[in-house]
């Protein structure tokens, strides 16, 4: 994109992102505010694309706009339900048993990772800044990040996901009692 087109697209994105950010705080409905925040995060990803930061833009879309905000949207819609509504009766009682079995599988997998001393991929480990630069030089930025996250820190990654699930369940329980 050339200079004038880049400047025009910047100002269009700036106006749209400010409008959607105002929607986050001005909407009275929590669902509309969450949707407006998703739109604001997508506009932020477009700013990153204009700067040439493709990886950060993709992460912005996948992690923030995709995963976290959709999670918030689900929590908001679950908390907004009226528990006295007869349509919200437990129509699928077998889900509790399936959830208990899947919870036991998760606890077993995390216990196995913790107690077995699963060997870490040494290529995923970096000790000091020089070792990190060597790993990046050998594998590239994205590959080194993926190796570190899914091989070197798999237990911490799984525990973090468990903490997020517990936080959502806590919010649901507290929201239902109110």
């Amino acid at each position: 994109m050339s200079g004038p087109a880049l400047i025009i697209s910047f100002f269009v994105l700036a106006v749209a992102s400010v409008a959607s950010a105002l929607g986050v705080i001005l909407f009275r409905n929590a669902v509309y505010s969450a949707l407006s925040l998703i739109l604001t995060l997508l506009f932020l990803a477009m700013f990153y694309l204009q700067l040439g930061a493709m990886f950060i833009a993709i992460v912005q879309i996948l992690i923030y706009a995709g995963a976290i905000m959709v999670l918030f949207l689900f929590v908001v819609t679950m908390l907004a339900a009226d528990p006295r509504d007869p349509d919200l009766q437990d129509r699928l009682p077998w889900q509790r048993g399936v959830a208990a079995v899947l919870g036991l599988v998760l606890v077993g997998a995390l216990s196995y990772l913790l107690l077995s001393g699963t060997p870490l991929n040494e290529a995923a480990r970096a000790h000091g800044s020089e070792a990190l630069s060597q790993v990046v030089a050998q594998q590239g930025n994205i590959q080194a990040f993926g190796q570190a996250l899914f091989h070197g820190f798999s237990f911490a990654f799984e525990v973090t996901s468990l903490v997020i699930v517990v936080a959502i369940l806590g919010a649901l329980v507290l929201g239902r009692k109110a």
Side-chain angles (χ1 to χ4, degrees), residues 31 72-81 176:
V31 174
F72 284 171
L73 192 59
F74 284 146
V75 170
V76 165
T77 56
M78 291 174 108
L79 291 178
R176 297 272 182 198

Side-chain angles (χ1 to χ4, degrees), residues 64-104:
Y64 290 110
I68 294 175
M69 285 310 303
V70 170
L71 187 75
F72 284 171
L73 192 59
F74 284 146
V75 170
V76 165
T77 56
M78 291 174 108
L79 291 178
D82 185 15
R84 293 167 284 169
D85 189 7
D87 292 335
L88 293 177
Q89 298 300 323
D90 194 12
R91 290 182 248 159
L92 302 172
W94 56 270
Q95 285 181 340
R96 291 178 191 239
V98 172
V101 168
L102 290 176
L104 288 174

Side-chain angles (χ1 to χ4, degrees), residues 6-27:
L6 189 65
I7 292 172
I8 290 171
S9 66
F10 171 78
F11 282 114
V12 168
L13 273 176
V15 169
S17 62
V18 167
S20 63
L22 285 173
V24 172
I25 59 174
L26 294 178
F27 283 129

Side-chain angles (χ1 to χ4, degrees), residues 113-137:
L113 280 174
L114 183 63
L115 299 176
S116 69
T118 305
L120 298 176
N121 185 351
E122 286 302 317
R125 266 201 175 155
H127 303 288
S129 61
E130 291 178 18
L132 180 60
S133 64
Q134 289 173 357
V135 170
V136 170

